[in-house]
Amino acid sequence: MSSDPGQHDAPQYYRPGPSTGRYPQYPQNPYPNGWHGGSMPPPSPQQAPAAPANTASGWGPPPAGLGSGPQGRPARPRQVVTALVALIAAAVPFVVTGIGSLFVTVNESLLNDPGIPRGEFDAALAASGMTMAQFGQAVRVMGVVFLVLALVWIALAVAAFLGAAGARIALIVLLVLYGIPLLLIMLIGGQPVFAVLVVGVAAAGVALLFGRPAKEWYAARKLGAASRS
């Protein structure tokens, strides 16, 4: 290239030629006819293609069956959260009753409290042939049964909340085997409002787990697990 500062022509390059051995050979001249400022230089053949730029809308939707949850898992619908709250709320009274039965002693002084139909209770106790001590033991055993069933119910509700679809079936079985008889017992025992409220809340929670949003969520989790395996 000329070193004369008075010249304003386009820069000139040495033509390629064989190396003399004293200096490395110059590379191939990419502009044998000179460079003109109005034209863009051609891309280098060694240049790697540019990576696709991210758009403002992101990388696009996730694969089918995968949502925006952690590690590609679908987002949990609010119906499943509401079902968990309802199922636990239905079990809390029996947890409290079961724990209380372990520490309460059933005796004459307890039965003399206001609100207990002592005459009817004595007649029923005499008809069954049970003593007061045996009745107290039966109350304690029944309380333990209520406590165990309530804890199993809560465990199944949490499992269904975490995505175990089979836990929904177990909840239906418990609701039919124990919920309906419990409803009848409480109705006969003079607690219709409490019975209908507890069983109704439990049934509503189970129904939410079989609603359309929950069913789609369980199906998406199953599909996602199959695609990751």
Side-chain angles (χ1 to χ4, degrees), residues 14-34:
Y14 292 102
R15 294 183 178 276
S19 175
T20 60
R22 298 178 59 185
Y23 300 98
Q25 183 176 350
Y26 287 95
Q28 178 68 33
N29 183 11
Y31 310 105
N33 299 323

mmCIF file of all heavy atoms in Angstrom, residues 14-34:
data_model
loop_
_atom_site.group_PDB
_atom_site.id
_atom_site.type_symbol
_atom_site.label_atom_id
_atom_site.label_comp_id
_atom_site.label_asym_id
_atom_site.label_seq_id
_atom_site.Cartn_x
_atom_site.Cartn_y
_atom_site.Cartn_z
ATOM 1 N N TYR A 14 -0.568 -5.723 -1.962
ATOM 2 C CA TYR A 14 0.415 -6.484 -2.706
ATOM 3 C C TYR A 14 -0.244 -7.701 -3.319
ATOM 4 O O TYR A 14 -1.088 -8.352 -2.691
ATOM 5 C CB TYR A 14 1.557 -6.913 -1.785
ATOM 6 C CG TYR A 14 2.397 -5.750 -1.296
ATOM 7 C CD1 TYR A 14 2.199 -5.262 -0.008
ATOM 8 C CD2 TYR A 14 3.380 -5.175 -2.108
ATOM 9 C CE1 TYR A 14 2.955 -4.188 0.462
ATOM 10 C CE2 TYR A 14 4.137 -4.108 -1.642
ATOM 11 C CZ TYR A 14 3.923 -3.611 -0.366
ATOM 12 O OH TYR A 14 4.654 -2.576 0.107
ATOM 13 N N ARG A 15 0.132 -7.998 -4.498
ATOM 14 C CA ARG A 15 -0.401 -9.174 -5.134
ATOM 15 C C ARG A 15 0.235 -10.415 -4.520
ATOM 16 O O ARG A 15 1.408 -10.402 -4.167
ATOM 17 C CB ARG A 15 -0.137 -9.148 -6.658
ATOM 18 C CG ARG A 15 -0.892 -8.040 -7.377
ATOM 19 C CD ARG A 15 -0.653 -8.118 -8.872
ATOM 20 N NE ARG A 15 -1.399 -7.100 -9.539
ATOM 21 C CZ ARG A 15 -2.682 -7.220 -9.894
ATOM 22 N NH1 ARG A 15 -3.306 -8.354 -9.660
ATOM 23 N NH2 ARG A 15 -3.300 -6.235 -10.521
ATOM 24 N N PRO A 16 -0.546 -11.464 -4.398
ATOM 25 C CA PRO A 16 0.024 -12.675 -3.795
ATOM 26 C C PRO A 16 1.098 -13.279 -4.687
ATOM 27 O O PRO A 16 1.030 -13.201 -5.918
ATOM 28 C CB PRO A 16 -1.180 -13.595 -3.655
ATOM 29 C CG PRO A 16 -2.114 -13.154 -4.714
ATOM 30 C CD PRO A 16 -1.945 -11.658 -4.815
ATOM 31 N N GLY A 17 2.069 -13.862 -4.124
ATOM 32 C CA GLY A 17 3.133 -14.490 -4.878
ATOM 33 C C GLY A 17 3.828 -15.522 -4.043
ATOM 34 O O GLY A 17 3.526 -15.693 -2.857
ATOM 35 N N PRO A 18 4.748 -16.197 -4.593
ATOM 36 C CA PRO A 18 5.452 -17.236 -3.828
ATOM 37 C C PRO A 18 6.302 -16.623 -2.733
ATOM 38 O O PRO A 18 6.802 -15.511 -2.846
ATOM 39 C CB PRO A 18 6.301 -17.942 -4.891
ATOM 40 C CG PRO A 18 6.476 -16.902 -5.962
ATOM 41 C CD PRO A 18 5.201 -16.090 -5.995
ATOM 42 N N SER A 19 6.438 -17.298 -1.667
ATOM 43 C CA SER A 19 7.221 -16.812 -0.538
ATOM 44 C C SER A 19 8.707 -16.949 -0.840
ATOM 45 O O SER A 19 9.148 -17.902 -1.495
ATOM 46 C CB SER A 19 6.876 -17.610 0.705
ATOM 47 O OG SER A 19 7.699 -17.251 1.782
ATOM 48 N N THR A 20 9.441 -15.988 -0.352
ATOM 49 C CA THR A 20 10.884 -16.035 -0.550
ATOM 50 C C THR A 20 11.583 -16.850 0.515
ATOM 51 O O THR A 20 12.789 -17.081 0.425
ATOM 52 C CB THR A 20 11.456 -14.608 -0.528
ATOM 53 O OG1 THR A 20 11.159 -14.020 0.751
ATOM 54 C CG2 THR A 20 10.826 -13.755 -1.623
ATOM 55 N N GLY A 21 10.821 -17.243 1.535
ATOM 56 C CA GLY A 21 11.428 -18.000 2.601
ATOM 57 C C GLY A 21 11.856 -17.150 3.762
ATOM 58 O O GLY A 21 12.083 -17.644 4.859
ATOM 59 N N ARG A 22 12.060 -15.815 3.492
ATOM 60 C CA ARG A 22 12.506 -14.919 4.567
ATOM 61 C C ARG A 22 11.323 -14.371 5.347
ATOM 62 O O ARG A 22 11.426 -14.086 6.536
ATOM 63 C CB ARG A 22 13.312 -13.771 3.954
ATOM 64 C CG ARG A 22 14.571 -14.227 3.226
ATOM 65 C CD ARG A 22 15.267 -13.055 2.610
ATOM 66 N NE ARG A 22 15.642 -12.064 3.616
ATOM 67 C CZ ARG A 22 16.188 -10.892 3.324
ATOM 68 N NH1 ARG A 22 16.424 -10.575 2.048
ATOM 69 N NH2 ARG A 22 16.495 -10.050 4.276
ATOM 70 N N TYR A 23 10.185 -14.207 4.687
ATOM 71 C CA TYR A 23 8.994 -13.653 5.333
ATOM 72 C C TYR A 23 7.810 -14.561 4.992
ATOM 73 O O TYR A 23 7.781 -15.180 3.943
ATOM 74 C CB TYR A 23 8.692 -12.225 4.834
ATOM 75 C CG TYR A 23 9.815 -11.264 5.102
ATOM 76 C CD1 TYR A 23 10.734 -10.973 4.098
ATOM 77 C CD2 TYR A 23 9.962 -10.676 6.350
ATOM 78 C CE1 TYR A 23 11.782 -10.100 4.348
ATOM 79 C CE2 TYR A 23 10.998 -9.797 6.598
ATOM 80 C CZ TYR A 23 11.904 -9.508 5.601
ATOM 81 O OH TYR A 23 12.917 -8.670 5.846
ATOM 82 N N PRO A 24 6.829 -14.619 5.871
ATOM 83 C CA PRO A 24 5.635 -15.438 5.542
ATOM 84 C C PRO A 24 4.890 -14.855 4.368
ATOM 85 O O PRO A 24 4.862 -13.635 4.183
ATOM 86 C CB PRO A 24 4.813 -15.400 6.828
ATOM 87 C CG PRO A 24 5.254 -14.135 7.504
ATOM 88 C CD PRO A 24 6.714 -13.982 7.172
ATOM 89 N N GLN A 25 4.301 -15.693 3.585
ATOM 90 C CA GLN A 25 3.560 -15.257 2.407
ATOM 91 C C GLN A 25 2.326 -14.486 2.834
ATOM 92 O O GLN A 25 1.651 -14.855 3.792
ATOM 93 C CB GLN A 25 3.167 -16.466 1.557
ATOM 94 C CG GLN A 25 2.447 -16.073 0.265
ATOM 95 C CD GLN A 25 2.171 -17.300 -0.559
ATOM 96 O OE1 GLN A 25 2.680 -18.370 -0.241
ATOM 97 N NE2 GLN A 25 1.423 -17.157 -1.628
ATOM 98 N N TYR A 26 2.029 -13.420 2.109
ATOM 99 C CA TYR A 26 0.842 -12.631 2.422
ATOM 100 C C TYR A 26 -0.409 -13.442 2.098
ATOM 101 O O TYR A 26 -0.416 -14.246 1.167
ATOM 102 C CB TYR A 26 0.847 -11.337 1.594
ATOM 103 C CG TYR A 26 1.863 -10.332 2.084
ATOM 104 C CD1 TYR A 26 3.125 -10.275 1.503
ATOM 105 C CD2 TYR A 26 1.556 -9.474 3.130
ATOM 106 C CE1 TYR A 26 4.069 -9.363 1.953
ATOM 107 C CE2 TYR A 26 2.490 -8.564 3.584
ATOM 108 C CZ TYR A 26 3.754 -8.509 2.990
ATOM 109 O OH TYR A 26 4.661 -7.626 3.450
ATOM 110 N N PRO A 27 -1.489 -13.204 2.803
ATOM 111 C CA PRO A 27 -2.731 -13.939 2.489
ATOM 112 C C PRO A 27 -3.340 -13.469 1.175
ATOM 113 O O PRO A 27 -2.951 -12.434 0.633
ATOM 114 C CB PRO A 27 -3.643 -13.598 3.673
ATOM 115 C CG PRO A 27 -3.147 -12.270 4.154
ATOM 116 C CD PRO A 27 -1.644 -12.309 3.948
ATOM 117 N N GLN A 28 -4.276 -14.200 0.700
ATOM 118 C CA GLN A 28 -4.945 -13.884 -0.553
ATOM 119 C C GLN A 28 -5.621 -12.530 -0.439
ATOM 120 O O GLN A 28 -6.303 -12.247 0.544
ATOM 121 C CB GLN A 28 -5.984 -14.965 -0.907
ATOM 122 C CG GLN A 28 -6.772 -14.699 -2.180
ATOM 123 C CD GLN A 28 -5.875 -14.792 -3.401
ATOM 124 O OE1 GLN A 28 -4.942 -15.573 -3.416
ATOM 125 N NE2 GLN A 28 -6.152 -13.995 -4.424
ATOM 126 N N ASN A 29 -5.445 -11.693 -1.417
ATOM 127 C CA ASN A 29 -6.048 -10.370 -1.422
ATOM 128 C C ASN A 29 -7.542 -10.498 -1.672
ATOM 129 O O ASN A 29 -7.953 -10.968 -2.738
ATOM 130 C CB ASN A 29 -5.395 -9.505 -2.501
ATOM 131 C CG ASN A 29 -5.938 -8.076 -2.512
ATOM 132 O OD1 ASN A 29 -6.656 -7.674 -1.595
ATOM 133 N ND2 ASN A 29 -5.573 -7.337 -3.557
ATOM 134 N N PRO A 30 -8.391 -10.099 -0.715
ATOM 135 C CA PRO A 30 -9.839 -10.228 -0.957
ATOM 136 C C PRO A 30 -10.375 -9.153 -1.887
ATOM 137 O O PRO A 30 -11.519 -9.222 -2.310
ATOM 138 C CB PRO A 30 -10.431 -10.104 0.446
ATOM 139 C CG PRO A 30 -9.462 -9.256 1.187
ATOM 140 C CD PRO A 30 -8.100 -9.593 0.611
ATOM 141 N N TYR A 31 -9.574 -8.106 -2.181
ATOM 142 C CA TYR A 31 -10.033 -7.004 -3.035
ATOM 143 C C TYR A 31 -9.016 -6.779 -4.158
ATOM 144 O O TYR A 31 -8.213 -5.833 -4.109
ATOM 145 C CB TYR A 31 -10.202 -5.711 -2.228
ATOM 146 C CG TYR A 31 -11.017 -5.888 -0.985
ATOM 147 C CD1 TYR A 31 -10.404 -5.915 0.267
ATOM 148 C CD2 TYR A 31 -12.400 -6.051 -1.059
ATOM 149 C CE1 TYR A 31 -11.146 -6.083 1.414
ATOM 150 C CE2 TYR A 31 -13.155 -6.226 0.081
ATOM 151 C CZ TYR A 31 -12.530 -6.249 1.323
ATOM 152 O OH TYR A 31 -13.256 -6.427 2.454
ATOM 153 N N PRO A 32 -8.955 -7.700 -5.116
ATOM 154 C CA PRO A 32 -7.940 -7.539 -6.182
ATOM 155 C C PRO A 32 -8.162 -6.309 -7.021
ATOM 156 O O PRO A 32 -7.217 -5.763 -7.598
ATOM 157 C CB PRO A 32 -8.094 -8.833 -6.998
ATOM 158 C CG PRO A 32 -9.487 -9.303 -6.714
ATOM 159 C CD PRO A 32 -9.782 -8.881 -5.310
ATOM 160 N N ASN A 33 -9.408 -5.817 -7.149
ATOM 161 C CA ASN A 33 -9.718 -4.644 -7.963
ATOM 162 C C ASN A 33 -9.839 -3.380 -7.136
ATOM 163 O O ASN A 33 -10.352 -2.366 -7.610
ATOM 164 C CB ASN A 33 -11.016 -4.881 -8.742
ATOM 165 C CG ASN A 33 -10.913 -6.055 -9.691
ATOM 166 O OD1 ASN A 33 -9.840 -6.270 -10.295
ATOM 167 N ND2 ASN A 33 -11.989 -6.799 -9.841
ATOM 168 N N GLY A 34 -9.438 -3.430 -5.892
ATOM 169 C CA GLY A 34 -9.549 -2.254 -5.037
ATOM 170 C C GLY A 34 -10.860 -2.237 -4.282
ATOM 171 O O GLY A 34 -11.850 -2.881 -4.676
#
